Amino acid sequence: MADAASRLTSVAEQLLGAPLPLRIRAWDGSQSGPPGVPTLVVRNRRALRRLLFKPGELGLARAWVAGDLDIEGDLYTALEAVAGSVWERGEDARTLAEALRDPDVRAAGRDLLRLVGPPIPPAPPREEVRRRRHLHTRRSDKRAISHHYDVGNDFYELVLGPSMVYSCAYWEDDGTLESAQRDKLELVCVKLGLTPGQRLLDVGCGWGSMVIHAAREHGVNAVGITLSQEQAAYARKRVADEGLTDRVEIRVQDYRDVADGPFDAVSSVGMAEHVGAERYLEYANRLYALLKPGGRLLNHQIARRPQGDETAYRVDPFIDSYVFPDGELAPLGTTVTQLERAGFEVRDVESLREHYARTLRHWVARLEAGWGRAVRLTGPGRARVWRLYMAACALAFERNRIGVNQVLAVRPPESGVSGLPLRTRTWNP
């Protein structure tokens, strides 16, 4: 009888329909696979039971979060090897259903069953969130935001650094994470044309970095809204420490409940991904109503590639269960169309895809450097979630699987005068 690692390699290659690009080390100490590549460590048989009861990405995610699976070696190289192999094969890659019709795969599956042990489904890790039936109500959105952002401000300080900005930075070749985040905040302010005395609404204000920068550097009166109690408490302290309490207000408030417009400008940076397709026009309509005629919106949002059949789009199960519950990505064209349907005139679109890939690699490096403290702050499961999702997203941005765009739009006045310069691409903070 072959050892566990050899049997696992055989099963994996039958399912993939291609050689396994990783080495495997199993719980019995056996190893199999090519040398000089990262090693997939299968710590126990429970990892296999997770895969049998939830084949595919969710089973792998559960095993990873629980610590039943691990990677020895460079995580990016491992993810690139597996995901890159699937992406490159594209339409030639077999679906799981196709693979299971193969007699050799079914024979390998029977061998896997003999390895698994008692056929008892392991409980999901406690970090997993079950998808809800009613999405994007005020209550469900608050719960989803709390799951992601109320992890602990100390943890986010470790990952994000002093800027406490949780969206992609705006890089120069030799910039630091802190300088790149400052440049991104300034880029948003310049695109919005902020001037002293104006009113700014920052939707999804996070830990207050945008409103603090806008008030301090551009003299605006700013309102920042978030659904996270922990973010709001942290942001209020930062505002007080900066001496800006007379010009910056932080609220725990849903964007649908803001009623004190009009504002001269609205920034929404990394928030619209939480809105959902069914609610997106409502979101666009609400921001349009909160702006005065001639006011500007800067919508900074992650986008996915369009599909031939958009009805086939499914939320990534790992991201939905462990990272951003109820989050949805839309193609850039869909976002622009919805903003225009709400009445906005879209004036500029800028892709920052490579900027986000670089930002994520910096966040991963900070997390790995402070791994022991991250585990103490959030627990090993949550720390493993963040490491995997940020590394995987960095590769997805680099490979153009997803992108991120700043869309500048104006609520046009009756005169039709946009108020923007003839050459809009003169901004360079």
Side-chain angles (χ1 to χ4, degrees), residues 280 299-307 310 329-340 346 348-352 400-408:
Y280 202 92
N299 189 76
H300 177 119
Q301 182 178 340
I302 298 173
R304 62 177 171 84
R305 303 294 297 167
Q307 299 182 187
E310 279 294 313
L329 299 183
L332 172 61
T334 301
T335 296
V336 169
T337 296
Q338 294 290 63
L339 292 173
E340 290 182 329
V346 172
D348 186 82
V349 177
E350 182 175 8
S351 172
L352 302 180
N400 195 24
R401 309 299 297 186
I402 53 177
V404 62
N405 306 282
Q406 288 190 350
V407 179
L408 178 66

PDB file of all heavy atoms in Angstrom, residues 280 299-307 310 329-340 346 348-352 400-408:
ATOM      1  N   TYR A 280     -27.521  48.625  -5.643  1.00  0.00           N
ATOM      2  CA  TYR A 280     -26.541  49.592  -6.123  1.00  0.00           C
ATOM      3  C   TYR A 280     -27.200  50.866  -6.665  1.00  0.00           C
ATOM      4  O   TYR A 280     -26.712  51.973  -6.419  1.00  0.00           O
ATOM      5  CB  TYR A 280     -25.625  48.989  -7.183  1.00  0.00           C
ATOM      6  CG  TYR A 280     -24.323  49.751  -7.278  1.00  0.00           C
ATOM      7  CD1 TYR A 280     -23.229  49.357  -6.526  1.00  0.00           C
ATOM      8  CD2 TYR A 280     -24.213  50.889  -8.066  1.00  0.00           C
ATOM      9  CE1 TYR A 280     -22.041  50.075  -6.567  1.00  0.00           C
ATOM     10  CE2 TYR A 280     -23.036  51.613  -8.107  1.00  0.00           C
ATOM     11  CZ  TYR A 280     -21.951  51.198  -7.352  1.00  0.00           C
ATOM     12  OH  TYR A 280     -20.786  51.928  -7.383  1.00  0.00           O
ATOM     13  N   ASN A 299     -15.924  57.722  -6.465  1.00  0.00           N
ATOM     14  CA  ASN A 299     -16.268  56.344  -6.104  1.00  0.00           C
ATOM     15  C   ASN A 299     -15.077  55.435  -6.427  1.00  0.00           C
ATOM     16  O   ASN A 299     -14.737  55.233  -7.586  1.00  0.00           O
ATOM     17  CB  ASN A 299     -17.504  55.893  -6.891  1.00  0.00           C
ATOM     18  CG  ASN A 299     -18.037  54.559  -6.410  1.00  0.00           C
ATOM     19  OD1 ASN A 299     -18.671  54.491  -5.368  1.00  0.00           O
ATOM     20  ND2 ASN A 299     -17.789  53.498  -7.165  1.00  0.00           N
ATOM     21  N   HIS A 300     -14.451  54.915  -5.382  1.00  0.00           N
ATOM     22  CA  HIS A 300     -13.250  54.079  -5.499  1.00  0.00           C
ATOM     23  C   HIS A 300     -13.680  52.653  -5.179  1.00  0.00           C
ATOM     24  O   HIS A 300     -14.071  52.356  -4.056  1.00  0.00           O
ATOM     25  CB  HIS A 300     -12.213  54.602  -4.494  1.00  0.00           C
ATOM     26  CG  HIS A 300     -10.938  53.829  -4.421  1.00  0.00           C
ATOM     27  ND1 HIS A 300      -9.717  54.391  -4.707  1.00  0.00           N
ATOM     28  CD2 HIS A 300     -10.670  52.549  -4.057  1.00  0.00           C
ATOM     29  CE1 HIS A 300      -8.761  53.488  -4.517  1.00  0.00           C
ATOM     30  NE2 HIS A 300      -9.322  52.361  -4.126  1.00  0.00           N
ATOM     31  N   GLN A 301     -13.628  51.743  -6.174  1.00  0.00           N
ATOM     32  CA  GLN A 301     -14.306  50.449  -6.022  1.00  0.00           C
ATOM     33  C   GLN A 301     -13.581  49.335  -6.765  1.00  0.00           C
ATOM     34  O   GLN A 301     -13.126  49.505  -7.898  1.00  0.00           O
ATOM     35  CB  GLN A 301     -15.738  50.582  -6.566  1.00  0.00           C
ATOM     36  CG  GLN A 301     -16.598  49.351  -6.448  1.00  0.00           C
ATOM     37  CD  GLN A 301     -18.005  49.605  -6.969  1.00  0.00           C
ATOM     38  OE1 GLN A 301     -18.453  50.752  -7.075  1.00  0.00           O
ATOM     39  NE2 GLN A 301     -18.713  48.552  -7.295  1.00  0.00           N
ATOM     40  N   ILE A 302     -13.489  48.165  -6.127  1.00  0.00           N
ATOM     41  CA  ILE A 302     -12.940  46.967  -6.770  1.00  0.00           C
ATOM     42  C   ILE A 302     -13.933  46.469  -7.812  1.00  0.00           C
ATOM     43  O   ILE A 302     -15.151  46.516  -7.604  1.00  0.00           O
ATOM     44  CB  ILE A 302     -12.661  45.876  -5.731  1.00  0.00           C
ATOM     45  CG1 ILE A 302     -11.603  46.352  -4.729  1.00  0.00           C
ATOM     46  CG2 ILE A 302     -12.186  44.582  -6.398  1.00  0.00           C
ATOM     47  CD1 ILE A 302     -11.390  45.414  -3.565  1.00  0.00           C
ATOM     48  N   ALA A 303     -13.425  45.991  -8.929  1.00  0.00           N
ATOM     49  CA  ALA A 303     -14.275  45.490 -10.019  1.00  0.00           C
ATOM     50  C   ALA A 303     -13.789  44.109 -10.444  1.00  0.00           C
ATOM     51  O   ALA A 303     -12.599  43.799 -10.358  1.00  0.00           O
ATOM     52  CB  ALA A 303     -14.243  46.442 -11.214  1.00  0.00           C
ATOM     53  N   ARG A 304     -14.699  43.285 -10.891  1.00  0.00           N
ATOM     54  CA  ARG A 304     -14.345  41.989 -11.480  1.00  0.00           C
ATOM     55  C   ARG A 304     -14.449  42.089 -12.999  1.00  0.00           C
ATOM     56  O   ARG A 304     -15.049  43.024 -13.542  1.00  0.00           O
ATOM     57  CB  ARG A 304     -15.273  40.882 -10.953  1.00  0.00           C
ATOM     58  CG  ARG A 304     -16.744  41.091 -11.300  1.00  0.00           C
ATOM     59  CD  ARG A 304     -17.591  39.930 -10.815  1.00  0.00           C
ATOM     60  NE  ARG A 304     -19.017  40.209 -10.960  1.00  0.00           N
ATOM     61  CZ  ARG A 304     -19.714  40.021 -12.068  1.00  0.00           C
ATOM     62  NH1 ARG A 304     -19.118  39.562 -13.168  1.00  0.00           N
ATOM     63  NH2 ARG A 304     -21.006  40.292 -12.106  1.00  0.00           N
ATOM     64  N   ARG A 305     -13.915  41.092 -13.666  1.00  0.00           N
ATOM     65  CA  ARG A 305     -14.031  41.025 -15.113  1.00  0.00           C
ATOM     66  C   ARG A 305     -15.465  40.618 -15.480  1.00  0.00           C
ATOM     67  O   ARG A 305     -16.082  39.807 -14.783  1.00  0.00           O
ATOM     68  CB  ARG A 305     -13.054  40.013 -15.695  1.00  0.00           C
ATOM     69  CG  ARG A 305     -11.595  40.283 -15.343  1.00  0.00           C
ATOM     70  CD  ARG A 305     -11.113  41.566 -15.961  1.00  0.00           C
ATOM     71  NE  ARG A 305     -11.146  41.506 -17.411  1.00  0.00           N
ATOM     72  CZ  ARG A 305     -11.014  42.557 -18.210  1.00  0.00           C
ATOM     73  NH1 ARG A 305     -10.879  43.756 -17.704  1.00  0.00           N
ATOM     74  NH2 ARG A 305     -11.037  42.401 -19.516  1.00  0.00           N
ATOM     75  N   PRO A 306     -16.036  41.150 -16.550  1.00  0.00           N
ATOM     76  CA  PRO A 306     -17.387  40.741 -16.957  1.00  0.00           C
ATOM     77  C   PRO A 306     -17.409  39.309 -17.451  1.00  0.00           C
ATOM     78  O   PRO A 306     -16.404  38.784 -17.952  1.00  0.00           O
ATOM     79  CB  PRO A 306     -17.726  41.722 -18.084  1.00  0.00           C
ATOM     80  CG  PRO A 306     -16.414  42.197 -18.604  1.00  0.00           C
ATOM     81  CD  PRO A 306     -15.467  42.183 -17.447  1.00  0.00           C
ATOM     82  N   GLN A 307     -18.537  38.648 -17.274  1.00  0.00           N
ATOM     83  CA  GLN A 307     -18.724  37.277 -17.731  1.00  0.00           C
ATOM     84  C   GLN A 307     -19.637  37.247 -18.938  1.00  0.00           C
ATOM     85  O   GLN A 307     -20.482  38.140 -19.119  1.00  0.00           O
ATOM     86  CB  GLN A 307     -19.327  36.421 -16.611  1.00  0.00           C
ATOM     87  CG  GLN A 307     -18.458  36.336 -15.377  1.00  0.00           C
ATOM     88  CD  GLN A 307     -19.047  35.454 -14.298  1.00  0.00           C
ATOM     89  OE1 GLN A 307     -18.532  35.389 -13.197  1.00  0.00           O
ATOM     90  NE2 GLN A 307     -20.128  34.763 -14.598  1.00  0.00           N
ATOM     91  N   GLU A 310     -23.779  36.882 -17.266  1.00  0.00           N
ATOM     92  CA  GLU A 310     -23.699  37.554 -15.974  1.00  0.00           C
ATOM     93  C   GLU A 310     -24.578  36.885 -14.914  1.00  0.00           C
ATOM     94  O   GLU A 310     -24.314  37.020 -13.718  1.00  0.00           O
ATOM     95  CB  GLU A 310     -24.086  39.026 -16.114  1.00  0.00           C
ATOM     96  CG  GLU A 310     -22.959  39.896 -16.628  1.00  0.00           C
ATOM     97  CD  GLU A 310     -21.800  39.983 -15.649  1.00  0.00           C
ATOM     98  OE1 GLU A 310     -22.034  40.211 -14.458  1.00  0.00           O
ATOM     99  OE2 GLU A 310     -20.646  39.793 -16.085  1.00  0.00           O
ATOM    100  N   LEU A 329     -18.905  41.904  -6.194  1.00  0.00           N
ATOM    101  CA  LEU A 329     -18.143  42.703  -7.148  1.00  0.00           C
ATOM    102  C   LEU A 329     -18.916  42.803  -8.456  1.00  0.00           C
ATOM    103  O   LEU A 329     -19.568  41.848  -8.871  1.00  0.00           O
ATOM    104  CB  LEU A 329     -16.776  42.078  -7.411  1.00  0.00           C
ATOM    105  CG  LEU A 329     -15.840  41.925  -6.219  1.00  0.00           C
ATOM    106  CD1 LEU A 329     -14.501  41.362  -6.670  1.00  0.00           C
ATOM    107  CD2 LEU A 329     -15.651  43.247  -5.485  1.00  0.00           C
ATOM    108  N   ALA A 330     -18.817  43.960  -9.086  1.00  0.00           N
ATOM    109  CA  ALA A 330     -19.477  44.195 -10.374  1.00  0.00           C
ATOM    110  C   ALA A 330     -18.429  44.622 -11.396  1.00  0.00           C
ATOM    111  O   ALA A 330     -17.391  45.190 -11.039  1.00  0.00           O
ATOM    112  CB  ALA A 330     -20.542  45.279 -10.239  1.00  0.00           C
ATOM    113  N   PRO A 331     -18.664  44.389 -12.677  1.00  0.00           N
ATOM    114  CA  PRO A 331     -17.772  44.940 -13.699  1.00  0.00           C
ATOM    115  C   PRO A 331     -17.812  46.465 -13.685  1.00  0.00           C
ATOM    116  O   PRO A 331     -18.816  47.080 -13.310  1.00  0.00           O
ATOM    117  CB  PRO A 331     -18.348  44.383 -15.008  1.00  0.00           C
ATOM    118  CG  PRO A 331     -19.182  43.208 -14.613  1.00  0.00           C
ATOM    119  CD  PRO A 331     -19.719  43.536 -13.257  1.00  0.00           C
ATOM    120  N   LEU A 332     -16.722  47.067 -14.107  1.00  0.00           N
ATOM    121  CA  LEU A 332     -16.638  48.529 -14.148  1.00  0.00           C
ATOM    122  C   LEU A 332     -17.773  49.125 -14.973  1.00  0.00           C
ATOM    123  O   LEU A 332     -18.386  50.129 -14.577  1.00  0.00           O
ATOM    124  CB  LEU A 332     -15.287  48.946 -14.720  1.00  0.00           C
ATOM    125  CG  LEU A 332     -15.097  50.436 -15.023  1.00  0.00           C
ATOM    126  CD1 LEU A 332     -15.240  51.269 -13.764  1.00  0.00           C
ATOM    127  CD2 LEU A 332     -13.737  50.667 -15.689  1.00  0.00           C
ATOM    128  N   GLY A 333     -18.071  48.530 -16.118  1.00  0.00           N
ATOM    129  CA  GLY A 333     -19.131  49.073 -16.970  1.00  0.00           C
ATOM    130  C   GLY A 333     -20.476  49.104 -16.275  1.00  0.00           C
ATOM    131  O   GLY A 333     -21.270  50.040 -16.465  1.00  0.00           O
ATOM    132  N   THR A 334     -20.750  48.095 -15.460  1.00  0.00           N
ATOM    133  CA  THR A 334     -22.009  48.064 -14.716  1.00  0.00           C
ATOM    134  C   THR A 334     -22.072  49.209 -13.718  1.00  0.00           C
ATOM    135  O   THR A 334     -23.107  49.880 -13.571  1.00  0.00           O
ATOM    136  CB  THR A 334     -22.159  46.722 -13.994  1.00  0.00           C
ATOM    137  OG1 THR A 334     -22.140  45.659 -14.951  1.00  0.00           O
ATOM    138  CG2 THR A 334     -23.451  46.662 -13.200  1.00  0.00           C
ATOM    139  N   THR A 335     -20.966  49.453 -13.029  1.00  0.00           N
ATOM    140  CA  THR A 335     -20.920  50.544 -12.054  1.00  0.00           C
ATOM    141  C   THR A 335     -21.147  51.889 -12.726  1.00  0.00           C
ATOM    142  O   THR A 335     -21.949  52.711 -12.255  1.00  0.00           O
ATOM    143  CB  THR A 335     -19.558  50.536 -11.328  1.00  0.00           C
ATOM    144  OG1 THR A 335     -19.440  49.328 -10.579  1.00  0.00           O
ATOM    145  CG2 THR A 335     -19.420  51.735 -10.405  1.00  0.00           C
ATOM    146  N   VAL A 336     -20.473  52.127 -13.831  1.00  0.00           N
ATOM    147  CA  VAL A 336     -20.632  53.393 -14.545  1.00  0.00           C
ATOM    148  C   VAL A 336     -22.080  53.562 -15.015  1.00  0.00           C
ATOM    149  O   VAL A 336     -22.670  54.644 -14.889  1.00  0.00           O
ATOM    150  CB  VAL A 336     -19.653  53.467 -15.733  1.00  0.00           C
ATOM    151  CG1 VAL A 336     -19.986  54.642 -16.646  1.00  0.00           C
ATOM    152  CG2 VAL A 336     -18.221  53.588 -15.219  1.00  0.00           C
ATOM    153  N   THR A 337     -22.666  52.489 -15.529  1.00  0.00           N
ATOM    154  CA  THR A 337     -24.056  52.556 -15.996  1.00  0.00           C
ATOM    155  C   THR A 337     -25.002  52.918 -14.860  1.00  0.00           C
ATOM    156  O   THR A 337     -25.906  53.757 -15.032  1.00  0.00           O
ATOM    157  CB  THR A 337     -24.467  51.209 -16.609  1.00  0.00           C
ATOM    158  OG1 THR A 337     -23.668  50.969 -17.774  1.00  0.00           O
ATOM    159  CG2 THR A 337     -25.943  51.208 -17.001  1.00  0.00           C
ATOM    160  N   GLN A 338     -24.806  52.303 -13.690  1.00  0.00           N
ATOM    161  CA  GLN A 338     -25.699  52.586 -12.561  1.00  0.00           C
ATOM    162  C   GLN A 338     -25.548  54.032 -12.085  1.00  0.00           C
ATOM    163  O   GLN A 338     -26.540  54.675 -11.726  1.00  0.00           O
ATOM    164  CB  GLN A 338     -25.418  51.614 -11.410  1.00  0.00           C
ATOM    165  CG  GLN A 338     -25.755  50.163 -11.709  1.00  0.00           C
ATOM    166  CD  GLN A 338     -27.254  49.928 -11.801  1.00  0.00           C
ATOM    167  OE1 GLN A 338     -27.953  50.469 -12.654  1.00  0.00           O
ATOM    168  NE2 GLN A 338     -27.762  49.093 -10.894  1.00  0.00           N
ATOM    169  N   LEU A 339     -24.333  54.544 -12.073  1.00  0.00           N
ATOM    170  CA  LEU A 339     -24.138  55.944 -11.692  1.00  0.00           C
ATOM    171  C   LEU A 339     -24.828  56.875 -12.683  1.00  0.00           C
ATOM    172  O   LEU A 339     -25.454  57.877 -12.301  1.00  0.00           O
ATOM    173  CB  LEU A 339     -22.641  56.267 -11.599  1.00  0.00           C
ATOM    174  CG  LEU A 339     -21.880  55.588 -10.452  1.00  0.00           C
ATOM    175  CD1 LEU A 339     -20.387  55.860 -10.588  1.00  0.00           C
ATOM    176  CD2 LEU A 339     -22.385  56.064  -9.092  1.00  0.00           C
ATOM    177  N   GLU A 340     -24.723  56.544 -13.972  1.00  0.00           N
ATOM    178  CA  GLU A 340     -25.391  57.372 -14.979  1.00  0.00           C
ATOM    179  C   GLU A 340     -26.905  57.266 -14.861  1.00  0.00           C
ATOM    180  O   GLU A 340     -27.620  58.265 -15.051  1.00  0.00           O
ATOM    181  CB  GLU A 340     -24.926  56.953 -16.371  1.00  0.00           C
ATOM    182  CG  GLU A 340     -23.472  57.339 -16.662  1.00  0.00           C
ATOM    183  CD  GLU A 340     -23.037  56.954 -18.060  1.00  0.00           C
ATOM    184  OE1 GLU A 340     -23.538  55.939 -18.588  1.00  0.00           O
ATOM    185  OE2 GLU A 340     -22.201  57.676 -18.628  1.00  0.00           O
ATOM    186  N   VAL A 346     -20.491  60.962 -15.582  1.00  0.00           N
ATOM    187  CA  VAL A 346     -19.185  60.378 -15.290  1.00  0.00           C
ATOM    188  C   VAL A 346     -18.129  61.126 -16.088  1.00  0.00           C
ATOM    189  O   VAL A 346     -18.204  61.198 -17.316  1.00  0.00           O
ATOM    190  CB  VAL A 346     -19.175  58.871 -15.617  1.00  0.00           C
ATOM    191  CG1 VAL A 346     -17.760  58.303 -15.488  1.00  0.00           C
ATOM    192  CG2 VAL A 346     -20.132  58.122 -14.693  1.00  0.00           C
ATOM    193  N   ASP A 348     -14.465  60.938 -15.299  1.00  0.00           N
ATOM    194  CA  ASP A 348     -13.132  60.351 -15.388  1.00  0.00           C
ATOM    195  C   ASP A 348     -13.156  58.977 -14.729  1.00  0.00           C
ATOM    196  O   ASP A 348     -13.838  58.765 -13.720  1.00  0.00           O
ATOM    197  CB  ASP A 348     -12.097  61.236 -14.679  1.00  0.00           C
ATOM    198  CG  ASP A 348     -10.678  60.716 -14.875  1.00  0.00           C
ATOM    199  OD1 ASP A 348     -10.089  61.008 -15.930  1.00  0.00           O
ATOM    200  OD2 ASP A 348     -10.168  60.004 -13.987  1.00  0.00           O
ATOM    201  N   VAL A 349     -12.403  58.044 -15.313  1.00  0.00           N
ATOM    202  CA  VAL A 349     -12.216  56.713 -14.743  1.00  0.00           C
ATOM    203  C   VAL A 349     -10.728  56.407 -14.778  1.00  0.00           C
ATOM    204  O   VAL A 349     -10.080  56.529 -15.824  1.00  0.00           O
ATOM    205  CB  VAL A 349     -12.986  55.627 -15.534  1.00  0.00           C
ATOM    206  CG1 VAL A 349     -12.691  54.244 -14.950  1.00  0.00           C
ATOM    207  CG2 VAL A 349     -14.479  55.912 -15.520  1.00  0.00           C
ATOM    208  N   GLU A 350     -10.170  56.033 -13.629  1.00  0.00           N
ATOM    209  CA  GLU A 350      -8.749  55.714 -13.546  1.00  0.00           C
ATOM    210  C   GLU A 350      -8.572  54.362 -12.868  1.00  0.00           C
ATOM    211  O   GLU A 350      -9.095  54.139 -11.773  1.00  0.00           O
ATOM    212  CB  GLU A 350      -7.992  56.786 -12.764  1.00  0.00           C
ATOM    213  CG  GLU A 350      -6.491  56.513 -12.689  1.00  0.00           C
ATOM    214  CD  GLU A 350      -5.710  57.633 -12.015  1.00  0.00           C
ATOM    215  OE1 GLU A 350      -6.338  58.561 -11.474  1.00  0.00           O
ATOM    216  OE2 GLU A 350      -4.468  57.578 -12.041  1.00  0.00           O
ATOM    217  N   SER A 351      -7.839  53.478 -13.521  1.00  0.00           N
ATOM    218  CA  SER A 351      -7.545  52.177 -12.947  1.00  0.00           C
ATOM    219  C   SER A 351      -6.303  52.254 -12.065  1.00  0.00           C
ATOM    220  O   SER A 351      -5.282  52.826 -12.456  1.00  0.00           O
ATOM    221  CB  SER A 351      -7.310  51.141 -14.055  1.00  0.00           C
ATOM    222  OG  SER A 351      -6.840  49.927 -13.494  1.00  0.00           O
ATOM    223  N   LEU A 352      -6.412  51.648 -10.864  1.00  0.00           N
ATOM    224  CA  LEU A 352      -5.283  51.579  -9.934  1.00  0.00           C
ATOM    225  C   LEU A 352      -4.937  50.123  -9.624  1.00  0.00           C
ATOM    226  O   LEU A 352      -4.459  49.806  -8.536  1.00  0.00           O
ATOM    227  CB  LEU A 352      -5.619  52.328  -8.636  1.00  0.00           C
ATOM    228  CG  LEU A 352      -5.983  53.813  -8.753  1.00  0.00           C
ATOM    229  CD1 LEU A 352      -6.295  54.387  -7.384  1.00  0.00           C
ATOM    230  CD2 LEU A 352      -4.869  54.604  -9.411  1.00  0.00           C
ATOM    231  N   ASN A 400      -4.788  40.508 -13.399  1.00  0.00           N
ATOM    232  CA  ASN A 400      -5.959  41.151 -14.009  1.00  0.00           C
ATOM    233  C   ASN A 400      -7.205  40.287 -13.898  1.00  0.00           C
ATOM    234  O   ASN A 400      -8.081  40.334 -14.765  1.00  0.00           O
ATOM    235  CB  ASN A 400      -5.684  41.519 -15.477  1.00  0.00           C
ATOM    236  CG  ASN A 400      -6.712  42.497 -16.021  1.00  0.00           C
ATOM    237  OD1 ASN A 400      -7.348  43.234 -15.266  1.00  0.00           O
ATOM    238  ND2 ASN A 400      -6.895  42.496 -17.335  1.00  0.00           N
ATOM    239  N   ARG A 401      -7.305  39.507 -12.830  1.00  0.00           N
ATOM    240  CA  ARG A 401      -8.558  38.801 -12.558  1.00  0.00           C
ATOM    241  C   ARG A 401      -9.577  39.762 -11.949  1.00  0.00           C
ATOM    242  O   ARG A 401     -10.777  39.606 -12.131  1.00  0.00           O
ATOM    243  CB  ARG A 401      -8.322  37.628 -11.601  1.00  0.00           C
ATOM    244  CG  ARG A 401      -7.194  36.679 -12.004  1.00  0.00           C
ATOM    245  CD  ARG A 401      -7.438  36.022 -13.334  1.00  0.00           C
ATOM    246  NE  ARG A 401      -8.622  35.172 -13.352  1.00  0.00           N
ATOM    247  CZ  ARG A 401      -8.977  34.413 -14.376  1.00  0.00           C
ATOM    248  NH1 ARG A 401      -8.241  34.420 -15.476  1.00  0.00           N
ATOM    249  NH2 ARG A 401     -10.066  33.670 -14.319  1.00  0.00           N
ATOM    250  N   ILE A 402      -9.078  40.725 -11.191  1.00  0.00           N
ATOM    251  CA  ILE A 402      -9.902  41.793 -10.640  1.00  0.00           C
ATOM    252  C   ILE A 402      -9.145  43.103 -10.799  1.00  0.00           C
ATOM    253  O   ILE A 402      -7.932  43.109 -11.022  1.00  0.00           O
ATOM    254  CB  ILE A 402     -10.265  41.569  -9.152  1.00  0.00           C
ATOM    255  CG1 ILE A 402      -8.997  41.326  -8.313  1.00  0.00           C
ATOM    256  CG2 ILE A 402     -11.259  40.443  -8.996  1.00  0.00           C
ATOM    257  CD1 ILE A 402      -9.268  41.176  -6.825  1.00  0.00           C
ATOM    258  N   GLY A 403      -9.864  44.202 -10.686  1.00  0.00           N
ATOM    259  CA  GLY A 403      -9.249  45.516 -10.796  1.00  0.00           C
ATOM    260  C   GLY A 403      -9.835  46.453  -9.765  1.00  0.00           C
ATOM    261  O   GLY A 403     -10.723  46.082  -8.995  1.00  0.00           O
ATOM    262  N   VAL A 404      -9.344  47.669  -9.729  1.00  0.00           N
ATOM    263  CA  VAL A 404      -9.903  48.693  -8.850  1.00  0.00           C
ATOM    264  C   VAL A 404      -9.850  50.013  -9.600  1.00  0.00           C
ATOM    265  O   VAL A 404      -8.876  50.310 -10.294  1.00  0.00           O
ATOM    266  CB  VAL A 404      -9.154  48.766  -7.501  1.00  0.00           C
ATOM    267  CG1 VAL A 404      -7.697  49.153  -7.696  1.00  0.00           C
ATOM    268  CG2 VAL A 404      -9.846  49.719  -6.533  1.00  0.00           C
ATOM    269  N   ASN A 405     -10.914  50.793  -9.476  1.00  0.00           N
ATOM    270  CA  ASN A 405     -11.057  52.006 -10.291  1.00  0.00           C
ATOM    271  C   ASN A 405     -11.580  53.166  -9.457  1.00  0.00           C
ATOM    272  O   ASN A 405     -12.416  52.983  -8.565  1.00  0.00           O
ATOM    273  CB  ASN A 405     -12.039  51.757 -11.445  1.00  0.00           C
ATOM    274  CG  ASN A 405     -11.653  50.557 -12.276  1.00  0.00           C
ATOM    275  OD1 ASN A 405     -10.761  50.628 -13.105  1.00  0.00           O
ATOM    276  ND2 ASN A 405     -12.317  49.433 -12.035  1.00  0.00           N
ATOM    277  N   GLN A 406     -11.081  54.347  -9.778  1.00  0.00           N
ATOM    278  CA  GLN A 406     -11.660  55.571  -9.245  1.00  0.00           C
ATOM    279  C   GLN A 406     -12.532  56.191 -10.333  1.00  0.00           C
ATOM    280  O   GLN A 406     -12.040  56.510 -11.422  1.00  0.00           O
ATOM    281  CB  GLN A 406     -10.569  56.550  -8.821  1.00  0.00           C
ATOM    282  CG  GLN A 406      -9.844  56.129  -7.559  1.00  0.00           C
ATOM    283  CD  GLN A 406      -8.938  57.213  -7.007  1.00  0.00           C
ATOM    284  OE1 GLN A 406      -8.693  58.246  -7.645  1.00  0.00           O
ATOM    285  NE2 GLN A 406      -8.436  57.008  -5.799  1.00  0.00           N
ATOM    286  N   VAL A 407     -13.806  56.336 -10.027  1.00  0.00           N
ATOM    287  CA  VAL A 407     -14.751  56.949 -10.952  1.00  0.00           C
ATOM    288  C   VAL A 407     -15.137  58.317 -10.395  1.00  0.00           C
ATOM    289  O   VAL A 407     -15.686  58.414  -9.288  1.00  0.00           O
ATOM    290  CB  VAL A 407     -16.012  56.083 -11.124  1.00  0.00           C
ATOM    291  CG1 VAL A 407     -16.999  56.763 -12.083  1.00  0.00           C
ATOM    292  CG2 VAL A 407     -15.638  54.689 -11.625  1.00  0.00           C
ATOM    293  N   LEU A 408     -14.831  59.359 -11.142  1.00  0.00           N
ATOM    294  CA  LEU A 408     -15.200  60.717 -10.760  1.00  0.00           C
ATOM    295  C   LEU A 408     -16.465  61.102 -11.514  1.00  0.00           C
ATOM    296  O   LEU A 408     -16.512  61.029 -12.741  1.00  0.00           O
ATOM    297  CB  LEU A 408     -14.073  61.699 -11.090  1.00  0.00           C
ATOM    298  CG  LEU A 408     -14.357  63.173 -10.786  1.00  0.00           C
ATOM    299  CD1 LEU A 408     -14.512  63.400  -9.288  1.00  0.00           C
ATOM    300  CD2 LEU A 408     -13.244  64.054 -11.352  1.00  0.00           C
TER     301      LEU A 408
END
